[in-house]
Amino acid sequence: MPITSATTRRAALPVLVAAALSLTACSGGGETSSSSGGGKALVIDTSFNLKTVDPGRMYEQTGLLIDRALYDTLLGFKGSDVSKPVPALAESYELSKDGKKLTLKLRQDAVFSDGSPVTADDVVFSLDRVRDLKGNPSFLLEGVTVEKTDDKTVTLVSAKPNPSLPFILPNPALGIVNSKVVKANGGAASPADKAEKYLNGQSAGSGPYLLESFNAATQVVLKANPKYWGATKPVYKRVVLRNVQSQTQKLNVQRGDSQIAVDMTADQAQGIGGGTQVVKGASANVFFLLTNRDASVSKITSNPRFAEAVSKGVDYAGLLELAGEGSVQAAGIVPSMINGSLPAAQAPKRDVAGAKAALAAGGITNPRIKLEFPSDFTLNGLSFQPLAERIQANLKEVGITVDLAPAPIATALENYRDGKEEMGLWWWSPDYPDAGNYLAFLPGGLIGERAGWKKGADKALEDAGAKAASTIGDDRFDQYHQIQAQLNARGPIVPLIQPSQRLVTAGSLTGLEVNPVWTFEIAALGSK
């Protein structure tokens, strides 16, 4: 996952992505699809964020896209709708009243690519392996034990109430592997595991595709699984994912050399033509400003009135203009397509007079602060530099002088992770599409700590977070509304925008629905 989510320990009814996205056709020629292996080939151009496709170690965006096609999970989501998990390898699930026990009944017709059945033993080994490898995705099952109840039933027991667990299980990092095959090739549910090399050469899952070849720097090739157990077989017999920069992606999709371009900017996608379609809408990524509450880092930003002045001083409409069509203001830290997000009507609004009054009330005069952000990284085609410059201009109007301090992402991350930034411009992507993932922004949480907001800094808010984390049922989403309203009112984090996400596809491509965890489902794609 992107580097500011929880993985960097090392992110009213919801507005679903399906409703937010629009598909518009452009004039021009048609798709050119190559033929390979006796059937159609699909070519996907994307800028790789990829290290491995071993599900026990994989936690980068390109890896999530690929492993979603290789490894079935116990639960899934239907297209873009992440409001409720749906059956996959598990035909049903039930969460206990105390939220500590999740019981899953396994379907009996699922088989791995070698034809052997998917069993409860495979599930236990796979999930134990992810947790006990202590790799990037291990936190997903922190405090969870996996038990085989019988041949058809698996039970996940959490040390604490865990209503988020059904929303966690669809993550491709929790794909179920063929335990016999993986064990025979060095696999183990411990850091002694040596199966990564094998799993980067060939897959061992029950998904609609198999791994044909893997190169983390250049290209990954998938081929259709002839023994796939699912009702809907993949249309494309071969899928080629190429590591391509955005400008070349545009050229390739225009001339039919590829069928999907994942990373084009708003300007590049504007009027692209060539018989293409543009899928666009708000992404699940949330840009935010961090103002440090640690007085040893900054006597200015540690004053709570400073964050209030920043929140009221930002011109959110201006930031949306920079981000482009399809972007939306982040009403709170939980993005709009996830249950528990704040309604748009409750989003902070610009109030220059109110910002100046907040500074005066806090006794803050002529403040000058440093804003740090990555200089060599773009998110959804959006560079941090113009956003930072716009924020700098906005805050100057309320009496805050902002010195921009861009740095290469590795350098910027060090200060951010160490909690040394006076003010920072960052983003959060969901590790799983549940509001519980955003408790990291409370005092003592991952981002709270980075903002100098230590445990005990706001007991009322911390208690509210603990209650929401253990509440079962839809009532918890109202609690997350209240938590975010309080965060907006007195926290050190200022949510800004959800940038637009756009994918450009060949005009004949069908079945593309954007998902905030794995981008889109390769196996759902077809051609008209």
Side-chain angles (χ1 to χ4, degrees):
M1 291 295 281
I3 29 193
T4 54
S5 67
T7 64
T8 61
R9 291 173 171 78
R10 34 187 194 325
L13 293 174
V15 182
L16 298 176
V17 179
L21 292 173
S22 62
L23 185 63
T24 55
C26 306
S27 61
E31 168 190 356
T32 301
S33 181
S34 60
S35 178
S36 178
K40 293 181 179 179
L42 174 72
V43 179
I44 301 169
D45 284 349
T46 184
S47 181
F48 276 14
N49 181 9
L50 178 66
K51 294 179 181 178
T52 179
V53 287
D54 175 352
R57 293 178 170 86
M58 177 279 306
Y59 212 63
E60 292 75 38
Q61 196 61 49
T62 311
L64 291 163
L65 171 65
I66 294 168
D67 274 8
R68 177 65 183 167
L70 300 176
Y71 296 94
D72 289 319
T73 49
L74 291 169
L75 300 176
F77 294 114
K78 186 177 180 180
S80 299
D81 185 351
V82 294
S83 64
K84 184 177 180 178
V86 297
L89 288 177
E91 63 183 14
S92 66
Y93 66 96
E94 182 179 1
L95 187 65
S96 63
K97 291 182 179 179
D98 64 2
K100 294 183 179 181
K101 182 181 291 187
L102 183 66
T103 303
L104 301 110
K105 294 288 185 181
L106 304 181
R107 54 185 308 139
Q108 298 302 297
D109 57 344
V111 296
F112 290 111
S113 57
D114 64 1
S116 62
V118 178
T119 69
D121 291 325
D122 295 307
V123 171
V124 173
F125 172 79
S126 299
L127 300 186
D128 281 351
R129 181 173 179 265
V130 172
R131 185 196 61 221
D132 296 340
L133 273 178
K134 303 303 180 186
N136 280 342
S138 65
F139 79 97
L140 293 169
L141 294 177
E142 186 176 351
V144 177
T145 58
V146 188
E147 302 171 355
K148 173 185 174 182
T149 306
D150 57 45
D151 289 342
K152 298 181 180 180
T153 312
V154 174
T155 303
L156 277 61
V157 181
S158 301
K160 300 177 181 179
N162 196 354
S164 297
L165 192 53
F167 293 85
I168 294 172
L169 288 179
N171 192 294
L174 302 181
I176 305 306
V177 303
N178 187 325
S179 60
K180 291 181 180 179
V181 171
V182 173
K183 287 177 181 178
N185 288 277
S190 77
D193 175 274
K194 295 183 177 4
E196 182 179 12
K197 182 177 180 181
Y198 174 82
L199 293 172
N200 280 339
Q202 54 188 301
S203 52
S206 61
Y209 282 95
L210 308 174
L211 182 66
E212 180 177 304
S213 65
F214 171 81
N215 186 307
T218 58
Q219 179 172 286
V220 177
V221 180
L222 313 179
K223 59 184 178 182
N225 175 5
K227 296 182 179 179
Y228 181 54
W229 59 273
T232 304
K233 311 301 181 186
V235 170
Y236 290 95
K237 303 304 181 187
R238 194 166 183 261
V239 178
V240 181
L241 297 100
R242 306 187 299 195
N243 187 12
V244 178
Q245 294 307 303
S246 61
Q247 185 57 47
T248 305
Q249 288 183 30
K250 176 178 180 178
L251 296 173
N252 287 346
V253 76
Q254 280 180 312
R255 61 194 179 199
D257 289 344
S258 67
Q259 284 69 58
I260 305 178
V262 177
D263 305 292
M264 287 170 55
T265 67
D267 288 344
Q268 289 168 342
Q270 184 71 29
I272 184 172
T276 60
Q277 305 174 90
V278 181
V279 179
K280 58 188 175 184
S283 75
N285 299 315
V286 175
F287 278 95
F288 64 88
L289 287 171
L290 174 152
T291 61
N292 205 308
R293 287 289 170 87
D294 187 341
S296 68
V297 174
S298 174
K299 292 182 179 179
I300 297 172
T301 65
S302 59
N303 187 324
R305 290 288 192 175
F306 180 80
E308 179 185 348
V310 171
S311 178
K312 292 178 177 178
V314 171
D315 178 9
Y316 301 97
L319 297 184
L320 290 176
E321 287 179 7
L322 282 176
E325 184 181 359
S327 301
V328 299
Q329 183 181 349
I333 199 62
V334 179
S336 58
M337 65 285 297
I338 293 179
N339 280 324
S341 61
L342 271 180
Q346 295 186 35
K349 295 177 175 59
R350 193 174 200 213
D351 177 3
V352 173
K356 292 179 178 178
L359 291 176
I364 305 171
T365 57
N366 301 318
R368 188 182 195 108
I369 56 95
K370 181 168 67 172
L371 175 60
E372 299 183 47
F373 57 91
S375 60
D376 56 351
F377 183 82
T378 60
L379 182 67
N380 297 125
L382 187 59
S383 170
F384 284 68
Q385 182 74 33
L387 282 176
E389 291 172 353
R390 185 66 63 93
I391 291 165
Q392 179 189 48
N394 293 165
L395 297 185
K396 184 177 181 180
E397 294 177 28
V398 304
I400 300 172
T401 300
V402 177
D403 296 324
L404 301 185
I409 192 164
T411 304
L413 272 172
E414 186 174 354
N415 268 356
Y416 169 61
R417 290 170 174 165
D418 291 343
K420 300 300 183 184
E421 290 184 327
E422 193 172 23
M423 187 158 78
L425 175 60
W426 291 96
W427 86 99
W428 179 276
S429 300
D431 297 296
Y432 47 90
D434 185 78
N437 190 217
Y438 294 82
L439 294 174
F441 287 82
L442 269 57
L446 178 68
I447 306 302
E449 288 281 346
R450 291 175 180 177
W453 214 21
K454 305 296 184 182
K455 186 176 182 180
D458 191 322
K459 189 174 186 305
L461 194 50
E462 293 167 54
D463 289 346
K467 182 181 178 181
S470 60
T471 299
I472 310 303
D474 291 348
D475 288 349
R476 66 195 185 102
F477 300 126
D478 288 334
Q479 296 175 36
Y480 282 108
H481 292 163
Q482 297 170 30
I483 287 169
Q484 288 175 90
Q486 294 176 61
L487 275 172
N488 286 353
R490 61 179 189 268
I493 303 297
V494 179
L496 300 173
I497 60 171
Q498 294 170 226
S500 173
Q501 181 171 14
R502 63 197 59 77
L503 291 87
V504 178
T505 80
S508 59
L509 193 81
T510 62
L512 191 148
E513 291 189 64
V514 176
N515 184 282
V517 180
W518 50 75
T519 310
F520 59 89
E521 191 110 27
I522 293 174
L525 301 176
S527 181
K528 59 186 177 183

